[in-house]
Amino acid sequence: MARLNLLEETRFEKLPVTVYSDEYIASVKVAQRIAELIRYKQGRNEKAVLGLATGATPVKVYAELVRLHREEGLSFRNVITFNLDEYYPMQPTAVQSYVTFMNENLFDHIDINKNNVHIPDGTLPQERIHDYCLEYERKIEAVGGLDLQLLGIGRTGHIGFNEPGSAPNSGTRLVTLDDLTRRDASRDFGGKENVPRKAITMGIGTIFKAREIILMAWSGKKAPIIKKAVEGEMSSDVPATYLQLSDNVEFVLDQDAASELTRFDTPWLVKDCVWDDSLIKKAVIWLSQTVKKPILKLTEEDYNNHGMAQLITEKGTAYEINIDIFNKLQSTITGWPGGKPNADDRRRPERAEPARKRVVIFSPHPDDDVISMGGTFIRLVDQGHDVHVAYQTSGNTAVWDDDVLRYMEFAIDFNKSIGQESDHLENIYEDMRSFIENKQPNQLDSQEIRDVKGFIRKSEAIAGARYAGLEDDHIHFMALPFYETGKTVKKPVTDVDVELTMELLQKVKPHQVFAAGDFADPHGTHIVCFNIVLAALNRLRETEEWAQDCWLWMYRGAWHEFATHEIEMAVPLSPQEVERKRNAIFKHQSQKDYPVFPGDDAREFWVRAEERNRETAKNYDDLGLANYEAMEAFVRWKF
C-alpha cells in the first residue's frame, strides 16, 4: 500500500495526517492535487493562486508538475504564485536565492506568465521593507487570496521563516533566522558564517488565510519536529503547532518523517496490534526503559499499566515473554563479528563457516570506517579474516583551505631539502593562495586545490587502515564519479558508479559486506553510497553464486545509532579496544577538532563515536544484559 492509514486518527494527533510509503509517491500525489486545482480553475475561467515553498522538500513536487506540463499538457497560464520567503539580503541571481531555486526547479520549465510570479525581494533597502511587506499582503488579497499553500517544516518548527517566537497572527515581515536554521543552510552557502542572518517571510497569519494548506515532510531527520507539531501542545516555541488551529490543513509525510508519531512508534498505546516478533521486541524494550527495570524484572502489572495487556493475553505470561526477549537480545552480542569458528551458530548473528571470511568494508567518506566500526574493523583483522576497505569518495570538500596551503608549503620545503627544483610548485602555491584569498562562498575550488584536499584525506585513510592492520593492497580508493565534482551538490548516480562497485566486489568475492546505514548523514552521501552498494550486490546476485551467500551488514555511529530493538549484532569493546579505535580515528587529522561540516553535533567525531558506543552498551546493561565498556551495533540487510 502506498498510502498508509488514510483515515486513521488517534487521540494523540491534533490535525489530519496522511502518510505515504516514500517521498516520491507523496510528491506525485501532492502535484496531482495542485494540477486538479489548476484545471478546475481553468474550467471556471478563474486564476489559481498558489503559495509556494522552497528547499529540498518540494523539489519532487515541482518535478512532477513540470512532467505534467510537458507530457500531459498541464498549462500554468491561469496560475498566480506567491513564494513564502527569501533570504535578506539576497541578489536574485545568487545561486542560493529562492528566485534561482524556483526558476531552476519550476518556472523556467512551464508556461507561467512571469508577471504572475511573486517572490520576496531580497535587494531592497531595509527602510523600504515594511511598506514592501504590506504591499505583498495587498497583492495576495487583490487576487482573491491563496487557494493552496505548500509548506515544508524546519527543524526548529518554523514554517516559512516564522521562527520560534512568531505570533499566530503575524504578517509578511523581516525576521531574524534561528541559529539552527542557519546551520541547516550552511552547506548551501559554504559555511554558516556566509548564511544571511535575516529573511523576508509570509507570516503565520498570512498562511492561515489560504483555503487549503499542505505541509510536507520527508526523512527521519524531520520525525522529532513532526511529532511536536502534530501531537504537541500549541506553543510559540514550535510555530508549526499553530496549524492545529486551522480547519484547512493536512500534513503529508513519508514513513520516516511519521516514524515518531505515536501510532507508528508505540502503536500499542493507540489500538490493538498484530504482535509479530519485531514488534514484541520493540515493545518489551520500550516497557523496560519506561519503568526503568531490567527486562527479567518486568511484571504483568507493568504490562497492564502501559497499554500492553493485549500482548500478555495473546502471547503468554510476562515471565515467558521476558525470558524470550532477554534471550534474543543476548544472542545479538558477539565478540566474533566474522562468526565464531567451530561454534553452534544457530543463535549467533553471523555464520561460523567459513572460519576465515573475505570481508569488504565500504566507507562513504575516508573516515567513516574507523569512526563507525573501528573496533569491529580491528577485531576482524585480528581474528584472521581477509579484510578489505573501500573508500567510496575522496571527501575532498571537507578539508579546510588553510590545510591545503600548509601541505603545499611542506611539499615545497621538502623539494628544496633534497635539492629539487621547486619553482613550479611555488607558482602553483601562489595561484592557490590568491584563489583562496578571493574565494566566494561555495565557489568551486580549482582542480589543484581539489586534488590536494583529496590527497590529504587519502593519506589519512591509508594511515587509519594500516593502523587497523591492513596491507596496502587491501586498501581501495574508488573515487566514485557522482561525488567528484568539487561541489557540495553532487551529480546523479549513474551505472558507472554501480559498475565500479561491482568490479571491486567481483574481485574480492566477499562473504561479508559492511556499508554505512547512517542515513541521517546531513550531506546525503551515506544513503547514496549505500544504494550504490545495494544495486551492485543485487545485480551480482542475479549471476554470481558467491553473491547469493554474501551478507550485507549496516553500521552507524558518525551521526546517530540504531535503536536497541533494531540491533541484530552488537560487538562489545574492551577499554583497550576503545583506545585502539580512538587512535585509528586520530589518523584523520583534517577532521579532528572542528571539521568543515560538523552537522548539529559540536563534539569531535572520536568523542561522538565513543559516547554513542558507550550509550549502546549502557542500554544493554539497563535491560539486564552484561555490562560492557562499549558496543558497536549492526543491522543485517534483508535481500
Side-chain angles (χ1 to χ4, degrees):
M1 291 286 290
R3 196 171 186 178
L4 307 176
N5 302 295
L6 175 60
L7 299 176
E8 180 179 6
E9 296 179 357
T10 79
R11 59 191 172 92
F12 295 93
E13 294 175 19
K14 299 176 180 179
L15 41 71
V17 176
T18 303
V19 182
Y20 292 91
S21 55
D22 61 60
E23 66 177 281
Y24 301 95
I25 294 172
S27 297
V28 168
K29 294 294 185 182
V30 171
Q32 288 172 348
R33 289 169 65 177
I34 295 171
E36 288 170 7
L37 170 65
I38 293 171
R39 289 179 175 131
Y40 172 76
K41 290 282 190 173
Q42 284 170 348
R44 297 167 62 92
N45 199 29
E46 295 175 356
K47 299 291 187 183
V49 185
L50 305 178
L52 300 181
T54 51
T57 302
V59 165
K60 294 180 178 65
V61 174
Y62 297 149
E64 176 63 11
L65 288 174
V66 171
R67 189 197 69 79
L68 289 169
H69 169 68
R70 288 177 172 170
E71 298 180 13
E72 299 184 22
L74 177 66
S75 175
F76 291 79
R77 286 290 181 185
N78 71 318
V79 174
I80 300 173
T81 67
F82 290 87
N83 263 73
L84 275 169
D85 44 31
E86 176 61 284
Y87 291 107
Y88 182 83
M90 179 59 63
Q91 292 296 319
T93 54
V95 173
Q96 301 89 352
S97 82
Y98 289 158
V99 174
T100 298
F101 175 94
M102 292 305 304
N103 287 337
E104 290 181 349
N105 286 283
L106 183 62
F107 297 146
D108 285 351
H109 311 288
I110 59 177
D111 62 344
I112 194 167
N113 182 339
K114 290 297 181 74
N115 292 326
N116 289 338
V117 170
H118 304 87
I119 300 174
D121 187 349
T123 68
L124 294 170
Q126 190 156 339
E127 62 270 16
R128 288 185 53 198
I129 290 178
H130 176 73
D131 289 342
Y132 174 83
C133 290
L134 290 176
E135 181 61 23
Y136 203 76
E137 298 268 348
R138 282 195 286 268
K139 285 181 179 179
I140 295 173
E141 293 172 5
V143 295
L146 299 170
D147 291 307
L148 186 150
Q149 175 66 63
L150 284 185
L151 297 175
I153 184 171
R155 289 189 300 147
T156 63
H158 70 241
I159 48 177
F161 275 133
N162 292 283
E163 298 284 18
S166 297
N169 62 348
S170 54
T172 302
R173 67 205 187 282
L174 184 68
V175 297
T176 299
L177 299 179
D178 187 272
D179 185 71
L180 177 56
T181 299
R182 294 179 66 235
R183 272 189 282 151
D184 282 347
S186 64
R187 194 165 180 83
D188 293 332
F189 286 84
K192 191 184 81 171
E193 66 277 7
N194 301 316
V195 180
R197 296 180 180 275
K198 295 184 181 294
I200 299 171
T201 184
M202 280 190 202
I204 298 174
T206 314
I207 292 167
F208 259 58
K209 294 175 185 176
R211 284 178 278 280
E212 184 178 3
I213 301 169
I214 298 176
L215 185 147
M216 304 175 296
W218 327 131
S219 88
K221 287 185 284 189
K222 295 295 178 70
I225 197 63
I226 285 294
K227 181 176 178 65
K228 289 180 181 179
V230 173
E231 298 186 354
E233 296 299 321
M234 274 189 295
S235 167
S236 63
D237 292 338
V238 183
T241 57
Y242 288 132
L243 294 173
Q244 296 171 13
L245 294 169
S246 173
D247 295 328
N248 307 315
V249 68
E250 179 182 355
F251 277 41
V252 175
L253 313 173
D254 69 357
Q255 283 180 296
D256 291 337
S259 61
E260 292 191 19
L261 295 178
T262 301
R263 60 168 146 146
F264 297 110
D265 189 31
T266 51
W268 51 88
L269 299 178
V270 175
K271 59 181 181 178
D272 285 349
C273 299
V274 178
W275 289 103
D276 60 20
D277 288 347
S278 63
L279 188 60
I280 293 172
K281 182 180 178 184
K282 180 179 182 180
V284 172
I285 290 172
W286 172 86
L287 180 60
S288 173
Q289 293 170 335
T290 299
V291 301
K292 295 181 170 52
K293 288 183 182 180
I295 286 174
L296 294 179
K297 291 186 178 182
L298 295 174
T299 66
E300 296 206 0
E301 184 179 10
D302 293 325
Y303 281 78
N304 289 331
N305 290 344
H306 292 82
M308 294 167 59
Q310 181 205 2
L311 176 57
I312 55 177
T313 299
E314 292 184 6
K315 299 297 182 179
T317 66
Y319 176 79
E320 292 168 332
I321 295 170
N322 294 346
I323 288 286
D324 179 58
I325 298 303
F326 179 88
N327 287 338
K328 285 176 177 172
L329 280 169
Q330 182 68 47
S331 68
T332 65
I333 303 172
T334 180
W336 299 84
K340 186 174 183 179
N342 305 312
D344 181 355
D345 59 10
R346 286 173 296 178
R347 293 182 62 85
R348 290 180 176 274
E350 250 296 353
R351 304 149 291 177
E353 300 299 331
R356 185 174 186 266
K357 290 184 173 64
R358 294 185 298 275
V359 181
V360 175
I361 298 170
F362 283 101
S363 182
H365 301 100
D367 55 354
D368 289 312
D369 54 337
V370 290
I371 290 172
S372 299
M373 58 169 290
T376 301
F377 185 168
I378 292 170
R379 185 169 290 193
L380 285 165
V381 176
D382 287 351
Q383 291 176 346
H385 298 286
D386 182 19
V387 181
H388 294 249
V389 64
Y391 299 104
Q392 293 170 279
T393 74
S394 67
N396 62 5
T397 61
V399 177
W400 296 107
D401 291 339
D402 55 5
D403 279 345
V404 172
L405 299 180
R406 183 161 59 90
Y407 274 81
M408 284 296 294
E409 288 157 4
F410 173 89
I412 291 168
D413 287 344
F414 180 75
N415 249 26
K416 290 178 177 178
S417 75
I418 58 174
Q420 295 294 315
E421 181 272 327
S422 62
D423 290 348
H424 185 54
L425 270 183
E426 290 182 33
N427 289 335
I428 294 174
Y429 169 79
E430 291 300 331
D431 288 344
M432 287 180 171
R433 188 163 185 171
S434 175
F435 179 92
I436 289 170
E437 287 174 355
N438 296 287
K439 184 176 175 182
Q440 298 300 305
N442 237 19
Q443 183 179 350
L444 176 65
D445 283 328
S446 67
Q447 185 62 55
E448 292 84 359
I449 291 174
R450 299 200 317 259
D451 286 344
V452 173
K453 289 183 176 182
F455 299 152
I456 290 170
R457 299 214 67 184
K458 181 178 181 179
S459 65
E460 293 171 346
I462 291 171
R466 284 175 180 166
Y467 181 84
L470 292 195
E471 298 295 330
D472 288 0
D473 63 355
H474 280 46
I475 305 171
H476 309 274
F477 292 91
M478 304 185 71
L480 292 178
F482 86 90
Y483 186 93
E484 299 306 315
T485 61
K487 298 180 181 180
T488 54
V489 177
K490 304 305 179 184
K491 293 187 295 187
V493 170
T494 68
D495 270 353
V496 177
D497 298 294
V498 178
E499 288 163 3
L500 286 169
T501 306
M502 290 173 67
E503 287 175 16
L504 176 63
L505 289 167
Q506 187 71 288
K507 176 182 176 182
V508 179
K509 294 182 170 59
H511 303 94
Q512 278 185 319
V513 166
F514 291 86
D518 202 348
F519 304 147
D521 156 40
H523 320 316
T525 304
H526 282 205
I527 192 167
V528 173
C529 286
F530 179 82
N531 286 336
I532 291 170
V533 172
L534 186 60
L537 283 170
N538 277 327
R539 290 191 195 179
L540 289 166
R541 285 167 64 87
E542 294 176 2
T543 58
E544 301 294 321
E545 187 174 344
W546 66 264
Q548 296 285 338
D549 199 38
C550 177
W551 288 15
L552 172 58
W553 289 98
M554 298 184 291
Y555 62 78
R556 289 183 182 171
W559 306 104
H560 71 161
E561 190 54 274
F562 292 111
T564 306
H565 69 271
E566 298 174 308
I567 296 171
E568 296 180 81
M569 179 162 68
V571 180
L573 306 180
S574 68
Q576 292 76 21
E577 288 170 317
V578 170
E579 184 175 354
R580 290 178 71 188
K581 173 176 177 172
R582 183 192 310 157
N583 290 338
I585 297 172
F586 281 177
K587 301 300 181 184
H588 295 269
Q589 286 293 311
S590 71
Q591 304 304 298
K592 201 177 177 303
D593 300 327
Y594 191 78
V596 176
F597 299 115
D600 293 333
D601 197 331
R603 297 173 296 176
E604 292 185 43
F605 279 120
W606 71 271
V607 177
R608 300 186 202 186
E610 285 191 16
E611 292 185 359
R612 287 196 176 98
N613 293 163
R614 288 194 171 100
E615 184 179 357
T616 299
K618 184 179 185 303
N619 289 340
Y620 270 73
D621 180 32
D622 290 344
L623 294 170
L625 283 301
N627 184 4
Y628 292 100
E629 176 72 11
M631 280 179 164
E632 291 178 340
F634 303 87
V635 170
R636 185 181 163 197
W637 179 263
K638 307 302 190 294
F639 287 98

